[in-house]
Amino acid sequence: MRVFSTTDVHQVFFNYRGEELRYSFVSHLIDAFERHGIDFSVDKYEQRGKDLFARIEESKIALAIFSTRYAESSWCMDELVKMKKLSDQRKLQIIPIFYKVSARDVRKQTGEFGENFWTLAKASSGDQIKKWKEALDSEAHFVKEIVKEVKRVMAAIKLQEEEENNLEEKGESLRIAFSMHDCFSIIINC
């Protein structure tokens, strides 16, 4: 795992429930990011609080990896609130990942995710709960943004394929023309 100095700018911040995902899904992401040279920050070497929030602010992208136990952690929830604030300011792009949990359960705080959320909420302030719910509700916006971006990329791919097909057709026409020219040249030279 790559450890960064305080002057490094992270491209991607990982927001996830460590106990549940650190040695499974997240470890696979970390391995892939390292192989591809993508700068990232995970909280394994961070102290909670200012240091961790500074890493979020330094990042361009945040992966919010929701899982059934995500809502057990006030740190996960507080990080999500910080991420939403930066996203609202257009300083951070958030990509939600739903790991063995439905987006609906996250958005509506239902199912096992909801049970964990409401257990945590019992020991929290009303203002804090409100901020957490707003951050969770906004994940629907993040999903829409992902769909929008995927559609944009798909349109670009389709356009590129059409251009390549047009070039191939033009190339085939030129090849036929050159072949015909060669035939005429041969006939004339004979």
Side-chain angles (χ1 to χ4, degrees), residues 10-134:
H10 307 292
Q11 293 299 311
V12 182
F13 178 82
F14 287 39
N15 167 250
Y16 64 99
R17 180 72 169 126
E19 286 180 22
E20 184 177 22
L21 301 178
R22 186 178 321 278
Y23 300 108
S24 59
F25 181 68
V26 171
S27 67
H28 298 293
L29 284 175
I30 289 169
D31 181 56
F33 278 37
E34 287 176 338
R35 278 183 306 185
H36 292 276
I38 299 171
D39 291 337
F40 62 90
S41 176
V42 294
D43 68 356
K44 186 172 184 179
Y45 298 110
E46 303 289 341
Q47 290 186 4
R48 292 180 176 163
K50 290 182 181 179
D51 290 346
L52 205 50
F53 288 136
R55 295 290 177 252
I56 295 170
E57 290 174 359
E58 294 169 353
S59 299
K60 303 294 180 204
I61 300 167
L63 300 180
I65 307 171
F66 297 106
S67 60
T68 55
R69 295 189 54 206
Y70 180 96
E72 290 177 344
S73 168
S74 62
W75 282 105
C76 286
M77 301 302 296
D78 291 341
E79 289 171 15
L80 184 63
V81 169
K82 177 70 170 178
M83 290 162 33
K84 180 187 181 306
K85 180 179 177 183
L86 292 169
S87 176
D88 290 346
Q89 297 169 354
R90 304 213 181 276
K91 294 180 179 178
L92 182 70
Q93 291 283 48
I94 302 174
I95 300 172
I97 299 172
F98 301 93
Y99 183 80
K100 297 184 179 182
V101 66
S102 75
R104 183 183 187 284
D105 283 348
V106 171
R107 189 173 49 255
K108 302 287 186 184
Q109 296 87 54
T110 57
E112 189 176 348
F113 181 92
E115 290 171 16
N116 290 328
F117 176 84
W118 292 111
T119 299
L120 177 65
K122 288 177 186 174
S124 306
S125 72
D127 185 51
Q128 194 173 30
I129 296 166
K130 181 182 175 197
K131 288 178 183 175
W132 292 345
K133 285 180 63 66
E134 287 172 359

Side-chain angles (χ1 to χ4, degrees), residues 103-166:
R104 183 183 187 284
D105 283 348
V106 171
R107 189 173 49 255
K108 302 287 186 184
Q109 296 87 54
T110 57
E112 189 176 348
F113 181 92
E115 290 171 16
N116 290 328
F117 176 84
W118 292 111
T119 299
L120 177 65
K122 288 177 186 174
S124 306
S125 72
D127 185 51
Q128 194 173 30
I129 296 166
K130 181 182 175 197
K131 288 178 183 175
W132 292 345
K133 285 180 63 66
E134 287 172 359
L136 290 171
D137 289 342
S138 67
E139 69 67 35
H141 170 74
F142 304 140
V143 171
K144 287 177 187 174
E145 288 298 314
I146 291 171
V147 170
K148 182 178 165 183
E149 184 64 15
V150 167
K151 289 173 93 174
R152 185 191 67 75
V153 170
M154 288 174 64
I157 291 170
K158 183 178 179 184
L159 182 62
Q160 182 180 0
E161 288 173 348
E162 289 173 355
E163 288 174 358
E164 288 173 1
N165 286 339
N166 286 339

